[in-house]
Amino acid sequence: MALCLATALAHVGLVFLHVAPPNTVSQRFNSQVDAWIYPFFEQNWRLFAPDPDSVNRQISARTAHTAPDGSVQVSDWFDLTAVDTSDIKHNAFPSHTSQNMLRRSWTSYAELHGGDDLSRSDRAVMMQRYLRNIAADRMAERDGKPFENIQLRVVTLPVAAQGSTDHDRRTAATKNAETRLLPWWKVTSDA
């Protein structure tokens, strides 16, 4: 009971330091506060000022495994976004995780890395690991085959204008699609 109470009080204190205006205490313990808050307890105001996506993203992953004979076996692309979409469409009460985990991790990764995939801060490194771990967990659940590396591909399609015909939507999506291929990431045993 005491441990539970101490943890709850520490959590409330750290969240308070995160949302409070900058002060001596929050600046002194900034790294500890950020380590506790991100990525699970992040606070934002999107509930009151939503910023709807103006694009649809299809995030796919593939894995690579080095066989005993030294050959590298690369899997086919697997659409991670389609799994989330299916979980949402076929569930009367979809979880927040199904709706946002992959999408938000990609958005944060893209904001922190720009177009060159170089991590320039500790937060960028953390978001890269977070995105890699989400993809690695989902690929491991998919078929259970071993792999040492993972690669992501993100296809960005613009949302069609309201009132567009299906043909116009398909044409615009095909014409304006952007594909971003991320580098191969090593998957460690703790991922």
Side-chain angles (χ1 to χ4, degrees):
M1 183 72 161
L3 178 62
C4 210
L5 181 62
T7 302
L9 289 174
H11 173 72
V12 169
L14 290 167
V15 170
F16 174 78
L17 289 174
H18 177 71
V19 299
N23 59 60
T24 307
V25 177
S26 65
Q27 290 172 349
R28 165 91 168 78
F29 296 103
N30 187 43
S31 61
Q32 291 88 347
V33 170
D34 284 351
W36 180 260
I37 295 295
Y38 295 112
F40 300 111
F41 303 114
E42 181 178 0
Q43 304 290 311
N44 64 49
W45 293 99
R46 290 195 178 149
L47 175 65
F48 303 107
D51 183 16
D53 285 336
S54 58
V55 295
N56 289 321
R57 288 187 184 87
Q58 176 193 24
I59 303 172
S60 303
R62 66 179 176 176
T63 59
H65 173 65
T66 304
D69 65 0
S71 64
V72 177
Q73 300 167 346
V74 177
S75 71
D76 293 331
W77 289 105
F78 179 71
D79 189 351
L80 301 173
T81 306
V83 174
D84 286 356
T85 302
S86 176
D87 286 347
I88 294 166
K89 285 184 177 178
H90 303 294
N91 188 339
F93 302 103
S95 75
H96 179 73
T97 303
S98 295
Q99 297 179 50
N100 295 314
M101 181 186 282
L102 183 63
R103 181 179 59 83
R104 291 286 309 275
S105 65
W106 168 252
T107 302
S108 295
Y109 176 88
E111 287 172 359
L112 293 167
H113 288 84
D116 59 10
D117 298 310
L118 295 176
S119 300
R120 293 182 178 81
S121 68
D122 289 340
R123 181 157 165 75
V125 170
M126 180 192 64
M127 288 313 301
Q128 178 180 338
R129 287 183 189 148
Y130 184 56
L131 181 60
R132 180 201 64 201
N133 290 348
I134 291 169
D137 286 346
R138 292 183 182 192
M139 292 301 283
E141 288 174 5
R142 179 177 154 250
D143 58 13
K145 293 179 182 176
F147 57 92
E148 296 86 31
N149 299 294
I150 193 163
Q151 185 179 33
L152 298 180
R153 175 182 68 189
V154 181
V155 178
T156 304
L157 304 163
V159 174
Q162 189 171 357
S164 301
T165 65
D166 285 342
H167 175 67
D168 292 340
R169 288 180 185 168
R170 284 191 300 271
T171 304
T174 305
K175 183 176 146 185
N176 299 322
E178 292 179 22
T179 301
R180 180 169 173 181
L181 197 61
L182 275 60
W184 283 98
W185 291 330
K186 181 82 173 150
V187 176
T188 58
S189 59
D190 67 336

